[in-house]
Amino acid sequence: MRDTHPLDIAGGLLLTAAAGYVDAVGFLRLDGLYTSFMSGNSTQFAVSLSQPGHPVAWTIGLLFVAFLAGGFCGSLVSLQVPGRWGPAAVLGLEAGLLVAALSTVLSPSVQGPAAPLLAAAMGAQNAALRRSAGFRPGVTFVTGTLYSLSHTLAQAATRIGPAFGWVPDACTWLALVGGAVAGGLAYRAHGLEALVVPVVGVGLVLALAVGRAARAGATA
C-alpha cells in the first residue's frame, strides 16, 4: 500500500463505497437482487431456475447481461485509451451510466429501467481499477478481500508478514459496508433520487483522474 499514490487510495476507497451504495439501492429496489455482487445473483439465478416458473430468472439474467456489457465496454475503452488517460476514460463511461440511471428517475421524458444501467456502471468500474503493491482499491465486491484480510491477519500474527499489512483490506471492506449502509438509508428516505450521491462521488474521482493525467502530460 505504501507504493500506492494517496490519491489512488482515496479515490479507490470512494469508488468502493459508491459500489456498496449502489448495490444497497439496487438490493432494496429489486427485493433482494444485486447490481454489483454477481456471485449472489448467480446463486439466486440457479435457485430460481430450480423453481416452477423461474420467478426472477429473467430479471437476474438481464442484470448479468448489463454487468457483462459494462465490463466489456469499460475494458474496450481501457484498451483503446491506454496510459494515463485510460482510468479517466473508463470512469467517464461509468459516470455516464450512473447519470443515465438517475435520469430515468428525475426526467419524466426519459423512460427505462435504472437497475441494468447501475449493473453496467458497476461492470465498467472494474475496468478502471489498477492493482498496486497487492492493493486493489475500487472493488465492487469483497469476498476475495475478506479472504485476503484473514490471510494478512494470519501473516501479522505469525510475524511472517508486516504487522499492519491487513489494513488495506480492512479499509476496503469497511468502505463497501459503509457505502451500503449509506445507500440503504438514503434509498429509504429518497428512493432512486438517492443515486445523486454516487454520481457526485464517481464524478469527483473522475475529476481527480483527469487532473492527474493532465499534470502528468504537462510534465512529460
Side-chain angles (χ1 to χ4, degrees):
M1 186 172 177
R2 62 179 177 271
D3 297 326
T4 306
H5 194 284
L7 286 179
D8 286 338
I9 297 173
L13 292 177
L14 183 55
L15 288 177
T16 298
Y21 188 107
V22 167
D23 215 21
V25 169
F27 183 87
L28 294 172
R29 179 72 173 182
L30 298 171
D31 296 323
L33 301 180
Y34 302 93
T35 51
S36 72
F37 181 51
M38 292 299 138
S39 295
N41 280 349
S42 296
T43 301
Q44 295 199 54
F45 181 72
V47 171
S48 179
L49 289 177
S50 71
Q51 296 174 344
H54 316 313
V56 295
W58 286 105
T59 301
I60 301 175
L62 179 59
L63 294 174
F64 286 153
V65 170
F67 187 90
L68 284 168
F72 178 79
C73 292
S75 295
L76 281 181
V77 171
S78 180
L79 292 169
Q80 294 298 314
V81 188
R84 65 181 185 275
W85 286 104
V90 179
L91 288 170
L93 172 63
E94 179 187 359
L97 289 166
L98 290 174
V99 169
L102 181 60
S103 70
T104 65
V105 183
L106 301 182
S107 176
S109 62
V110 178
Q111 299 295 326
L117 291 168
L118 295 177
M122 294 299 96
Q125 178 169 308
N126 287 279
L129 308 185
R130 292 182 295 180
R131 180 178 292 276
S132 179
F135 178 51
R136 191 170 183 249
V139 293
T140 63
F141 47 87
V142 290
T143 302
T145 299
L146 277 178
Y147 170 72
S148 181
L149 174 59
S150 69
H151 183 69
T152 50
L153 281 170
Q155 288 181 318
T158 56
R159 298 185 179 179
I160 294 175
F164 297 100
W166 52 271
V167 171
D169 291 321
C171 289
T172 300
W173 182 78
L174 288 172
L176 188 133
V177 172
V181 170
L185 292 173
Y187 179 80
R188 287 191 166 94
H190 305 289
L192 284 177
E193 294 181 4
L195 291 174
V196 169
V197 174
V199 167
V200 172
V202 173
L204 177 59
V205 180
L206 171 59
L208 290 174
V210 170
R212 288 189 63 196
R215 287 194 297 272
T219 58

Short mmCIF file of all heavy atoms in Angstrom, two decimals, residues 107-147:
data_model
loop_
_atom_site.label_atom_id
_atom_site.label_comp_id
_atom_site.label_asym_id
_atom_site.label_seq_id
_atom_site.Cartn_x
_atom_site.Cartn_y
_atom_site.Cartn_z
N SER A 107 -36.10 12.71 -14.83
CA SER A 107 -36.66 13.31 -16.04
C SER A 107 -37.89 12.52 -16.52
O SER A 107 -37.76 11.35 -16.89
CB SER A 107 -35.61 13.34 -17.16
OG SER A 107 -36.19 13.83 -18.35
N PRO A 108 -39.07 13.13 -16.52
CA PRO A 108 -40.27 12.44 -16.99
C PRO A 108 -40.18 12.02 -18.45
O PRO A 108 -40.86 11.09 -18.87
CB PRO A 108 -41.38 13.48 -16.78
CG PRO A 108 -40.83 14.47 -15.81
CD PRO A 108 -39.36 14.50 -16.06
N SER A 109 -39.36 12.70 -19.24
CA SER A 109 -39.27 12.39 -20.67
C SER A 109 -38.37 11.19 -20.95
O SER A 109 -38.33 10.69 -22.07
CB SER A 109 -38.73 13.61 -21.43
OG SER A 109 -37.42 13.94 -20.99
N VAL A 110 -37.63 10.73 -19.95
CA VAL A 110 -36.71 9.60 -20.12
C VAL A 110 -37.30 8.39 -19.42
O VAL A 110 -37.58 8.43 -18.23
CB VAL A 110 -35.32 9.91 -19.55
CG1 VAL A 110 -34.40 8.70 -19.72
CG2 VAL A 110 -34.73 11.12 -20.25
N GLN A 111 -37.52 7.34 -20.16
CA GLN A 111 -38.08 6.12 -19.60
C GLN A 111 -37.07 4.99 -19.74
O GLN A 111 -36.37 4.89 -20.73
CB GLN A 111 -39.38 5.74 -20.33
CG GLN A 111 -40.48 6.79 -20.21
CD GLN A 111 -40.97 6.98 -18.78
OE1 GLN A 111 -41.01 6.03 -18.02
NE2 GLN A 111 -41.32 8.21 -18.43
N GLY A 112 -37.02 4.14 -18.76
CA GLY A 112 -36.12 2.99 -18.83
C GLY A 112 -35.80 2.47 -17.45
O GLY A 112 -35.90 3.19 -16.46
N PRO A 113 -35.40 1.21 -17.36
CA PRO A 113 -35.08 0.62 -16.05
C PRO A 113 -33.73 1.10 -15.55
O PRO A 113 -32.74 1.09 -16.28
CB PRO A 113 -35.07 -0.88 -16.35
CG PRO A 113 -34.72 -0.98 -17.80
CD PRO A 113 -35.29 0.25 -18.46
N ALA A 114 -33.68 1.52 -14.31
CA ALA A 114 -32.43 2.02 -13.74
C ALA A 114 -31.48 0.88 -13.37
O ALA A 114 -30.26 1.02 -13.51
CB ALA A 114 -32.73 2.87 -12.51
N ALA A 115 -32.01 -0.27 -12.92
CA ALA A 115 -31.17 -1.34 -12.40
C ALA A 115 -30.14 -1.85 -13.41
O ALA A 115 -28.96 -2.00 -13.07
CB ALA A 115 -32.02 -2.48 -11.86
N PRO A 116 -30.51 -2.15 -14.67
CA PRO A 116 -29.49 -2.60 -15.63
C PRO A 116 -28.41 -1.56 -15.88
O PRO A 116 -27.24 -1.91 -16.08
CB PRO A 116 -30.30 -2.89 -16.90
CG PRO A 116 -31.67 -3.18 -16.43
CD PRO A 116 -31.86 -2.26 -15.24
N LEU A 117 -28.78 -0.30 -15.87
CA LEU A 117 -27.78 0.76 -16.04
C LEU A 117 -26.81 0.79 -14.86
O LEU A 117 -25.61 1.01 -15.03
CB LEU A 117 -28.47 2.12 -16.20
CG LEU A 117 -29.25 2.31 -17.51
CD1 LEU A 117 -30.12 3.57 -17.42
CD2 LEU A 117 -28.29 2.42 -18.69
N LEU A 118 -27.34 0.56 -13.65
CA LEU A 118 -26.47 0.51 -12.48
C LEU A 118 -25.52 -0.69 -12.56
O LEU A 118 -24.33 -0.58 -12.24
CB LEU A 118 -27.31 0.43 -11.21
CG LEU A 118 -28.18 1.64 -10.89
CD1 LEU A 118 -29.02 1.38 -9.65
CD2 LEU A 118 -27.33 2.90 -10.70
N ALA A 119 -26.05 -1.84 -12.99
CA ALA A 119 -25.20 -3.02 -13.14
C ALA A 119 -24.11 -2.79 -14.18
O ALA A 119 -22.96 -3.19 -14.00
CB ALA A 119 -26.05 -4.23 -13.51
N ALA A 120 -24.46 -2.13 -15.28
CA ALA A 120 -23.47 -1.83 -16.31
C ALA A 120 -22.40 -0.89 -15.77
O ALA A 120 -21.20 -1.05 -16.06
CB ALA A 120 -24.16 -1.21 -17.53
N ALA A 121 -22.79 0.08 -14.96
CA ALA A 121 -21.83 1.00 -14.37
C ALA A 121 -20.86 0.27 -13.45
O ALA A 121 -19.65 0.54 -13.45
CB ALA A 121 -22.56 2.10 -13.58
N MET A 122 -21.37 -0.69 -12.68
CA MET A 122 -20.50 -1.46 -11.79
C MET A 122 -19.56 -2.36 -12.58
O MET A 122 -18.40 -2.55 -12.21
CB MET A 122 -21.34 -2.28 -10.82
CG MET A 122 -22.15 -1.45 -9.82
SD MET A 122 -21.13 -0.40 -8.75
CE MET A 122 -21.17 1.18 -9.63
N GLY A 123 -20.03 -2.92 -13.69
CA GLY A 123 -19.15 -3.70 -14.54
C GLY A 123 -18.04 -2.85 -15.11
O GLY A 123 -16.86 -3.26 -15.15
N ALA A 124 -18.38 -1.65 -15.54
CA ALA A 124 -17.37 -0.75 -16.10
C ALA A 124 -16.36 -0.32 -15.05
O ALA A 124 -15.16 -0.16 -15.36
CB ALA A 124 -18.06 0.49 -16.69
N GLN A 125 -16.81 -0.13 -13.81
CA GLN A 125 -15.89 0.34 -12.77
C GLN A 125 -14.71 -0.60 -12.59
O GLN A 125 -13.58 -0.16 -12.36
CB GLN A 125 -16.64 0.49 -11.44
CG GLN A 125 -15.73 0.93 -10.29
CD GLN A 125 -16.50 1.33 -9.05
OE1 GLN A 125 -17.41 2.16 -9.13
NE2 GLN A 125 -16.17 0.74 -7.92
N ASN A 126 -14.94 -1.89 -12.73
CA ASN A 126 -13.85 -2.86 -12.53
C ASN A 126 -12.74 -2.68 -13.55
O ASN A 126 -11.59 -3.01 -13.28
CB ASN A 126 -14.40 -4.28 -12.59
CG ASN A 126 -15.21 -4.64 -11.37
OD1 ASN A 126 -14.68 -4.98 -10.33
ND2 ASN A 126 -16.52 -4.54 -11.47
N ALA A 127 -13.08 -2.15 -14.73
CA ALA A 127 -12.06 -1.94 -15.77
C ALA A 127 -11.17 -0.76 -15.45
O ALA A 127 -10.10 -0.60 -16.07
CB ALA A 127 -12.74 -1.74 -17.12
N ALA A 128 -11.58 0.08 -14.51
CA ALA A 128 -10.80 1.27 -14.17
C ALA A 128 -9.79 1.00 -13.07
O ALA A 128 -8.95 1.86 -12.77
CB ALA A 128 -11.73 2.41 -13.74
N LEU A 129 -9.85 -0.19 -12.48
CA LEU A 129 -9.03 -0.45 -11.31
C LEU A 129 -7.62 -0.82 -11.69
O LEU A 129 -7.39 -1.47 -12.70
CB LEU A 129 -9.65 -1.57 -10.48
CG LEU A 129 -11.13 -1.39 -10.13
CD1 LEU A 129 -11.58 -2.51 -9.21
CD2 LEU A 129 -11.37 -0.05 -9.47
N ARG A 130 -6.70 -0.43 -10.85
CA ARG A 130 -5.30 -0.78 -11.05
C ARG A 130 -4.74 -1.37 -9.77
O ARG A 130 -4.86 -0.77 -8.70
CB ARG A 130 -4.49 0.47 -11.43
CG ARG A 130 -4.84 1.04 -12.79
CD ARG A 130 -3.98 2.23 -13.11
NE ARG A 130 -4.24 3.33 -12.19
CZ ARG A 130 -3.61 4.50 -12.23
NH1 ARG A 130 -2.69 4.71 -13.15
NH2 ARG A 130 -3.90 5.45 -11.37
N ARG A 131 -4.15 -2.57 -9.88
CA ARG A 131 -3.53 -3.19 -8.71
C ARG A 131 -2.15 -2.57 -8.48
O ARG A 131 -1.39 -2.39 -9.41
CB ARG A 131 -3.40 -4.70 -8.92
CG ARG A 131 -2.75 -5.40 -7.74
CD ARG A 131 -2.69 -6.90 -7.98
NE ARG A 131 -4.02 -7.46 -7.97
CZ ARG A 131 -4.68 -7.81 -6.88
NH1 ARG A 131 -4.12 -7.63 -5.71
NH2 ARG A 131 -5.89 -8.34 -6.95
N SER A 132 -1.89 -2.24 -7.23
CA SER A 132 -0.58 -1.67 -6.90
C SER A 132 -0.12 -2.24 -5.57
O SER A 132 -0.79 -2.10 -4.56
CB SER A 132 -0.67 -0.13 -6.79
OG SER A 132 0.56 0.43 -6.46
N ALA A 133 1.03 -2.92 -5.59
CA ALA A 133 1.61 -3.50 -4.37
C ALA A 133 0.61 -4.40 -3.67
O ALA A 133 0.52 -4.43 -2.45
CB ALA A 133 2.08 -2.39 -3.43
N GLY A 134 -0.20 -5.16 -4.43
CA GLY A 134 -1.16 -6.08 -3.86
C GLY A 134 -2.45 -5.42 -3.43
O GLY A 134 -3.39 -6.10 -3.00
N PHE A 135 -2.55 -4.12 -3.50
CA PHE A 135 -3.74 -3.39 -3.06
C PHE A 135 -4.53 -2.97 -4.28
O PHE A 135 -4.02 -2.30 -5.17
CB PHE A 135 -3.31 -2.17 -2.24
CG PHE A 135 -4.46 -1.32 -1.77
CD1 PHE A 135 -5.53 -1.89 -1.11
CD2 PHE A 135 -4.44 0.04 -1.98
CE1 PHE A 135 -6.57 -1.10 -0.66
CE2 PHE A 135 -5.47 0.84 -1.53
CZ PHE A 135 -6.54 0.27 -0.86
N ARG A 136 -5.79 -3.39 -4.34
CA ARG A 136 -6.63 -3.09 -5.50
C ARG A 136 -7.86 -2.31 -5.04
O ARG A 136 -8.93 -2.88 -4.81
CB ARG A 136 -7.03 -4.38 -6.20
CG ARG A 136 -7.67 -4.17 -7.57
CD ARG A 136 -7.81 -5.50 -8.27
NE ARG A 136 -8.35 -5.35 -9.60
CZ ARG A 136 -9.57 -5.77 -9.96
NH1 ARG A 136 -10.36 -6.35 -9.08
NH2 ARG A 136 -9.99 -5.62 -11.19
N PRO A 137 -7.73 -1.01 -4.86
CA PRO A 137 -8.87 -0.23 -4.39
C PRO A 137 -9.91 -0.05 -5.49
O PRO A 137 -9.61 -0.07 -6.68
CB PRO A 137 -8.23 1.12 -4.02
CG PRO A 137 -7.05 1.23 -4.93
CD PRO A 137 -6.54 -0.18 -5.10
N GLY A 138 -11.16 0.16 -5.08
CA GLY A 138 -12.23 0.40 -6.04
C GLY A 138 -13.05 -0.81 -6.39
O GLY A 138 -13.87 -0.77 -7.30
N VAL A 139 -12.84 -1.95 -5.67
CA VAL A 139 -13.56 -3.17 -6.00
C VAL A 139 -15.06 -3.00 -5.77
O VAL A 139 -15.49 -2.21 -4.96
CB VAL A 139 -13.03 -4.37 -5.18
CG1 VAL A 139 -11.61 -4.71 -5.57
CG2 VAL A 139 -13.11 -4.08 -3.68
N THR A 140 -15.85 -3.81 -6.51
CA THR A 140 -17.30 -3.76 -6.36
C THR A 140 -17.83 -4.97 -5.61
O THR A 140 -19.03 -5.15 -5.49
CB THR A 140 -17.99 -3.68 -7.75
OG1 THR A 140 -17.69 -4.88 -8.49
CG2 THR A 140 -17.50 -2.48 -8.53
N PHE A 141 -16.94 -5.82 -5.11
CA PHE A 141 -17.32 -6.98 -4.31
C PHE A 141 -16.14 -7.32 -3.41
O PHE A 141 -15.00 -7.01 -3.76
CB PHE A 141 -17.69 -8.18 -5.19
CG PHE A 141 -16.70 -8.44 -6.28
CD1 PHE A 141 -15.58 -9.22 -6.06
CD2 PHE A 141 -16.87 -7.88 -7.54
CE1 PHE A 141 -14.66 -9.46 -7.07
CE2 PHE A 141 -15.95 -8.10 -8.56
CZ PHE A 141 -14.84 -8.89 -8.32
N VAL A 142 -16.38 -7.94 -2.26
CA VAL A 142 -15.29 -8.07 -1.28
C VAL A 142 -15.10 -9.49 -0.75
O VAL A 142 -14.48 -9.65 0.29
CB VAL A 142 -15.52 -7.10 -0.09
CG1 VAL A 142 -15.33 -5.67 -0.51
CG2 VAL A 142 -16.87 -7.33 0.55
N THR A 143 -15.59 -10.49 -1.44
CA THR A 143 -15.34 -11.85 -0.98
C THR A 143 -13.84 -12.14 -0.94
O THR A 143 -13.30 -12.63 0.06
CB THR A 143 -16.05 -12.87 -1.88
OG1 THR A 143 -17.45 -12.59 -1.90
CG2 THR A 143 -15.83 -14.29 -1.37
N GLY A 144 -13.16 -11.84 -2.05
CA GLY A 144 -11.71 -12.04 -2.09
C GLY A 144 -10.99 -11.15 -1.10
O GLY A 144 -9.97 -11.55 -0.53
N THR A 145 -11.52 -9.94 -0.90
CA THR A 145 -10.90 -9.02 0.05
C THR A 145 -10.97 -9.57 1.47
O THR A 145 -10.01 -9.45 2.24
CB THR A 145 -11.60 -7.65 -0.02
OG1 THR A 145 -11.47 -7.12 -1.34
CG2 THR A 145 -11.00 -6.68 0.98
N LEU A 146 -12.10 -10.18 1.84
CA LEU A 146 -12.22 -10.75 3.18
C LEU A 146 -11.25 -11.91 3.37
O LEU A 146 -10.66 -12.06 4.45
CB LEU A 146 -13.66 -11.22 3.42
CG LEU A 146 -14.65 -10.15 3.86
CD1 LEU A 146 -16.04 -10.75 4.00
CD2 LEU A 146 -14.23 -9.50 5.16
N TYR A 147 -11.09 -12.75 2.34
CA TYR A 147 -10.10 -13.82 2.47
C TYR A 147 -8.70 -13.22 2.61
O TYR A 147 -7.90 -13.67 3.45
CB TYR A 147 -10.13 -14.76 1.27
CG TYR A 147 -8.93 -15.69 1.31
CD1 TYR A 147 -8.87 -16.72 2.25
CD2 TYR A 147 -7.82 -15.47 0.50
CE1 TYR A 147 -7.74 -17.52 2.35
CE2 TYR A 147 -6.70 -16.27 0.59
CZ TYR A 147 -6.66 -17.29 1.52
OH TYR A 147 -5.55 -18.08 1.62
#
